[in-house]
Amino acid sequence: MVRGAGRGGRGIPGRGGMGRPPFSRPRVLMLRPPFDLILAEPAFPRCKPAPDDAALTQALLKRHAELCPTPTEQSAVLSIVTKLQTVLDNLVVAPGDFAACQLEEVRQVGSYKKGTMMAGKNVADIVVIMKTLPTKEAVEGLSNKVNEELNKLMRAEGLGNVSSTCHERGFTVTAATAAVRVLVTTLHQNLRKLEPEVHLDYKVISSHLAAIRHSRWFEENAHHSSIKVLIRLLRDMCARHSGLEPLTPWMIDLLAHHCIMNNPARQALPINVAFRRSLSLLAGGLFLPGCAGLPDPCEAAHSRAHTALDLAAQDHAAATAQTLLRVVARGGHRYVLGLQAFEGGKDISTEITVWDGVVVSPLAPAYHDSPEPMDTEDKDDDGIQDGVAA
Amino acid sequence: MMAANNYFGFTHGGTQYGAATASAAYGGQTGYAVAPAATAATYGTQRAAATGYDTAYQAAAATQGNLHAAHAHAHAAAAAASAYDASKSAYYQQAAAAYPTAAPPQPQPAYDTTAKPAYSTPATYAQQYGQGGARGSGGAKPAYGSVYTATTAAASYPSQPYTAPAAQPAKPLYNAASMYVAQQKTGGGGGWKNYNKSGVGATPQRRPKPQPKAQQLHYCDVCRISCAGPQTYKEHLEGQKHKKKEAAVKVAAAGGAAGARACGASALRCELCDVTCTGADAYAAHVRGIKHQKVVKLHTMLGKPIPSTEPTKLTPAKKTVAGAPKVSFVASGGLSTVGASSSVPRPADKEDEKVEEEDEPEVQPVGQDYIEEIRGDDGKALSFNCKLCDCKFNDPNAKEMHMKGRRHRLQYKKKVQPDLEVKVKPSMHQRKLAEAKAQRMLVRDELWARRRMHEAGEDDERAYWEGADWWRGPHHHHHHQGMGMGYGPVGRRPETSDDRHVLAKHAEIYPPEQQLQEIQRAVSHTEKALKSLSDALADHARPKNQAGKAVIKTEDKKDDKPEGKEDGRDNQLFSFVGEGEAAPASGDGAGAGGAGGAPVGGPGVRALKGVMRVGLLAKGLLLRGDRDVRLVVLCHDRPTVTLLKRVANDLPHHLNKVKGPNEDAKYKVELQPAEGAVQVSDGTVNVVVSLTSAVMREPAEGGDIKRDDKDVLPRQKCLDALAALRHAKWFQARAASLQSCVIIIRIMRDLCRRIPNWTPLNPYAMELLVSGVMQSASGALSPGEALRRVMEALAGGLILEHGPGLRDPCEKELVDALGNMPAQKREDLTASAQQFLRQIAFRQINKVLDMEPLPKVKHASGGWKFPRKRRRSNTDADQDTHNGDGKVVKTEEKADVSEINSNAKK
């Protein structure tokens, strides 16, 4: 305790002669979380009656019901995923004469695993971890093998054929009403050995590994059904507004989790509050450079989820959310949620609208791709670097 | 900065008008200082105590008066020890640290030599003090020296508040104190005190107490430890240990000596550490112990008196120990905080105990045989094992103590010698518990009040950091100390481009010195003239039989005034009520307050009670080009048009009287009955003086309508003026102390002036908004971050319809300060803030601030390659030449050669 004083008492306080400067890395960027009304409530006590949000809540629930996959869809996906899992498990346990590759593990990931599938998108994801290096031939071989085995199973049950097509992430098994994407990755230690020409892309491979981590995190932390409801709503909203399209499902997962759960009481917030909060956080620059954003729990310390977006996309996403926030504030949530198409399917976030005489106009982008690059290197994609330092 | 902290008024000048250039001249005037004056609480708004802040503090109100009195006494070096019990040690600490040389009976020989010259001029005092401090802390001298020289603060010392006490130590302060006490009563249960964050006038009272060391040492007086930084200090203050200690001190002080001294007759006390030991051995062990040594070291460093170990035993085993050294310590403690609260009440008590103790035989150690020594290979006793009690000691002393101890003796009695007499202990633990319980309610209230006070302390400190240059000024070194140890939110971070832009803009909009001086002069003259006018009115109204007395009193007052407060420059209420009439008036006032503010038309009551600066002036938000300032005069009764006319008629005369003979300002006084105000104008500055009265807040309905209702000034105007008073108080208490808050509010004012979309945001709402945003941040914000955060809040839809609204803390009811803003304006404002936010995020803050982009700092992007000290050495090189330059160069040889050259030249 006295140490501080002792140091102060020495000749040159805190400077020189101390051996090592107080910061070995002075340039630690401590980014601040954005203003969040839910967390700042003590500073802004409500002094007018809470708005009647029944309409918004109803709209949110109605839209969610529309977005939920029907039981038929769910069972179709379930059926093919189960079969495929069986086939792959067999390959893991008893490869037999299958020599194209060796499988280490098979895991379900993505929206199917998380329980956030959307109606009309009956695509489940399975990650296959290969012991061997994921060459394109290995993927093809696996695809053929899976196709063959799966068709056997299907025929045994008297169901229709499946087809399998390869792509750069692995292959997709498509049945009549549902499909499964098999995403290929490899063991961590193999990552270094990848060669761009021979194997699948490094980024793709590591993103598949990340998907496994995401699923696990989700299972442990975000199982609350409010979160799932909000995720569906947000994914739908993002898909329909061009500015928000670049947001990845993982960002949306984190955002939804943050909006529902991160409050002083640690109790799930009502869906209407959380929905407003998500818009207001996005509008308040949660995903802008220079903001702490949402820490990615599945990456090295202190990396931020939104740095996957480029600067223009960050700007555009924020601007879109800002416009949508104001539209919702004026009572335009039905358009934002997609319950009602806006003037024949136009993107409401890019149009000037009038609500009860109040004009809501979209915003101009702030980011310019200037020839002299803006001095953004410390605000930009420095998540990992800072993460190491901090 | 250090020195500025000694003179709090100056600090605040610096704080609110943070730019370094302005602060020096400004400090001389103390114009915007929030230094508190004893009169602060006079403002007897008769509001029923029901606003946000008050509930918890009511209980503390009673004691506070006392406390402040005691405090002032301490300054005046009056040694009335009995007055100190209720006081809190925190106060004393500051007092001591601030005015160690001002107290005539110098407790410390070390200071004696320096003390005398110190009285001659304030400036020397400061220097002396610096040396004294350095000496005290042994080796810290260069550090302090550099701090002083860097700030050129000595030049600006002749600020009023300090010179007076230096010249005449005792009297004015004493007067102030008594006056304050009286006025505490006047204030009754309601009024402004409730707006002070620490409750009940505590803030203004403590403000003048500079804490010169606080920034450096973060010394907790209760626990006698120092913390590495504000963060740890804060954490400490919030910690259980501290709270416990605090409560104990409280109990000791409040419950008289009995509570604290209940602990055993043979108790010895270490005054320094405020530790009670159960026996001579324990005491000896304590004195040897590291904890005690630490405290000694710390106190040496702080230049606090250190009572010599031996004589300060409170209740020594042998009663031969004289009271004399003890007494001397009490005196010094009173002056300088150390143990004041706990030690003072004791002497009488101690005597009793000593008497008791005589009969008590020294306890003989028993059961030596049952203690086996465990020896190492070399035959040296390594440890001892008491077989009776089944415990081990490494230290022979501990063994001795154990053998004398009660537990051991009980065991001995049980297992060996049943007839051994073991003294039944007056179970001090249980007694303590019971007492603690009995006092819990009291303590809890007190704790609340104290917590507020601590917060206030931090605010003061933050205010210190808040000056515009807080992160780059030379005073930054001591900030360093904590860095290695997890400094927390206040930790320094590199100054970002945003910060530089905001500060540059701030410097641009900050009013020039001359403008401030003009305003200051006009306001000061107006205030003095109003005071003089009030005196005249009071004399006139006084019945004949009191007239003679009154004249004398008035003269007294005139003598005193210059030493006290001569205008409202501390931004507190400038009361017209003199000391002489304070007592009777306060009696009336208190009665009035209690009765809900029914006006008491006593003969001695003044029509004009006091004046206070409000609005931009009080808040320190003036910008370049602002010419209109506001004063509010509190009247005793409903202000009438007649009164207003009278003021308008008489004021020119008094203005001429108060302004110096060689000042050529021509004042024009203009009556504005519709506004309920008069405007004093000297051509460049317009001072609007509104008349109002606390009585106006009462509903005017019922049969009690004043006969001259038509004559009364417009009610709404009067209420507005009252609200302005509250807003100014709120601002000083809440907003001004937040990091970066004032800077950002000025920036935002400028924004609201420039941009049409922002104009509808009324100033008060904007202040509420900004302070709320700052308050909700987890730590201190740099200006760039702060501006961005404000934009984030607005962009996130804070002021849109579904938002919570901006609660007006100055109103009893839930009032939205932004309630009347139309939807389209909210929409536009939000959209604009959203655009600004993205511009800030994408490095275009210059567009938001409407300025040219500043050039990049050299190495701004690659700065991390260079140790921080290097960069600083570029800015204030002469402080840095002594050490490590060669090394610096060596490590950076690979770097920019020209850079090195420029550095070497320095």
Side-chain angles (χ1 to χ4, degrees), chain B residues 536-601:
Chain B
L537 285 176
D539 286 348
H540 186 76
R542 211 180 298 269
K544 285 278 182 268
N545 56 354
Q546 290 190 11
K549 238 167 91 190
V551 171
I552 299 163
K553 274 179 195 160
T554 321
E555 275 162 13
D556 277 351
K557 219 158 37 202
K558 273 175 190 152
D559 291 342
D560 293 344
K561 266 302 158 188
E563 291 136 25
K565 184 173 170 175
E566 66 181 15
D567 61 18
R569 65 180 48 163
D570 58 4
N571 290 330
Q572 304 294 329
L573 184 76
F574 172 38
S575 174
F576 296 152
V577 184
E579 296 84 30
E581 53 194 311
S586 68
D588 290 345
V600 179

Side-chain angles (χ1 to χ4, degrees), chain A residues 196-218:
Chain A
E197 299 85 38
V198 186
H199 304 119
L200 296 190
D201 187 35
Y202 174 89
K203 278 193 175 161
V204 169
I205 299 276
S206 43
S207 78
H208 293 166
L209 283 176
I212 297 176
R213 293 195 295 271
H214 295 169
S215 297
R216 285 188 53 188
W217 175 86
F218 195 91

Side-chain angles (χ1 to χ4, degrees), chain A residues 5 9 326 330 359 366 375 378, chain B residues 139 217 801 824 827 843-844:
Chain A
R326 285 176 290 128
R330 296 270 90 81
V359 182
D375 185 17
D378 66 337
Chain B
L217 274 181
E801 269 74 4
Q824 181 68 55
E827 161 70 26
R843 294 267 163 141
Q844 297 161 45

Side-chain angles (χ1 to χ4, degrees), chain B residues 158-483:
Chain B
S159 65
Q160 203 64 42
Y162 195 68
T163 21
Q168 270 191 350
K171 197 183 164 200
L173 273 165
Y174 184 84
N175 286 343
S178 59
M179 184 177 170
Y180 181 74
V181 173
Q183 281 159 355
Q184 278 277 336
K185 285 180 211 146
T186 324
W192 277 116
K193 292 171 295 179
N194 294 326
Y195 282 100
N196 290 322
K197 60 187 158 235
S198 51
V200 213
T203 321
Q205 273 305 312
R206 43 195 318 269
R207 286 220 162 153
K209 282 34 171 218
Q211 356 170 256
K213 294 282 157 70
Q215 274 78 38
Q216 210 140 25
L217 274 181
H218 301 287
Y219 177 73
C220 171
D221 199 57
V222 179
C223 309
R224 279 160 208 179
I225 54 164
S226 77
C227 297
Q231 177 69 13
T232 34
Y233 183 60
K234 188 176 162 198
E235 272 162 15
H236 164 76
L237 288 183
E238 278 160 8
Q240 274 214 319
K241 210 168 161 190
H242 175 79
K243 298 247 171 75
K244 259 188 204 159
K245 279 231 165 112
E246 205 173 40
V249 169
K250 208 74 246 174
V251 171
R261 304 303 305 144
C263 35
S266 62
L268 294 178
R269 255 187 96 67
C270 172
E271 289 296 346
L272 189 59
C273 310
D274 197 19
V275 161
T276 310
C277 304
T278 46
D281 294 313
Y283 181 80
H286 165 73
V287 170
R288 278 197 306 271
I290 185 155
K291 212 168 165 189
H292 180 80
Q293 299 300 337
K294 262 190 186 168
V295 177
V296 169
K297 211 169 122 195
L298 188 58
H299 276 227
T300 321
M301 217 129 63
L302 282 170
K304 286 167 171 286
I306 300 169
S308 75
T309 38
E310 283 316 310
T312 51
K313 290 179 187 176
L314 186 68
T315 47
K318 287 162 195 146
K319 75 158 195 174
T320 47
V321 175
K326 169 79 173 93
V327 168
S328 81
F329 173 61
V330 169
S332 69
L335 291 165
S336 64
T337 61
V338 177
S341 51
S342 47
S343 65
V344 174
R346 264 163 222 142
D349 214 16
K350 190 192 359 167
E351 297 305 321
D352 300 346
E353 278 169 22
K354 272 190 226 154
V355 174
E356 266 174 42
E357 212 179 296
E358 256 187 314
D359 312 330
E360 216 173 276
E362 177 76 23
V363 181
Q364 290 304 316
V366 291
Q368 173 85 55
D369 309 338
Y370 294 90
I371 295 188
E372 60 178 10
E373 291 184 9
I374 299 165
R375 289 174 187 280
D377 300 336
D378 53 351
K380 222 172 131 189
L382 280 182
S383 64
F384 305 89
N385 184 16
C386 174
K387 286 186 278 186
L388 284 180
C389 313
D390 193 24
C391 50
K392 275 189 179 173
F393 331 96
N394 292 323
D395 181 13
N397 290 310
K399 184 195 74 172
E400 290 296 318
M401 277 159 64
H402 174 73
M403 284 195 300
K404 289 183 194 169
R406 197 164 150 272
R407 190 187 299 169
H408 178 75
R409 287 172 70 87
L410 276 175
Q411 288 292 328
Y412 189 78
K413 181 182 177 180
K414 208 162 118 194
K415 295 181 182 163
V416 183
Q417 185 190 349
D419 58 333
L420 178 77
E421 238 183 83
V422 180
K423 196 180 62 170
V424 180
K425 196 165 144 199
S427 159
M428 92 174 175
H429 184 61
Q430 285 165 18
R431 252 165 82 181
K432 249 186 180 168
L433 274 184
E435 260 155 21
K437 209 170 198 173
Q439 304 228 348
R440 198 159 293 159
M441 288 316 286
L442 176 76
V443 171
R444 192 182 300 158
D445 290 344
E446 293 273 48
L447 264 177
W448 272 105
R450 292 209 54 174
R451 192 177 304 171
R452 296 287 146 170
M453 264 167 41
H454 284 303
E455 275 169 19
E458 268 157 43
D459 288 341
D460 287 354
E461 191 180 290
R462 257 182 290 168
Y464 161 74
W465 292 112
E466 199 212 313
D469 54 345
W470 60 276
W471 46 88
R472 40 148 64 151
H475 52 262
H476 235 321
H477 335 269
H478 48 253
H479 224 178
H480 255 314
Q481 304 160 5
M483 288 317 270

Side-chain angles (χ1 to χ4, degrees), chain B residues 88 701 796:
Chain B
K88 292 171 186 137
E701 87 275 15

Side-chain angles (χ1 to χ4, degrees), chain A residues 238 241-249 251 308-310 312-314 316-317:
Chain A
C238 292
H241 299 100
S242 61
L244 295 173
E245 240 177 338
L247 297 191
T248 62
M251 291 177 202
L309 300 176
D310 62 28
Q314 291 182 14
H316 197 187

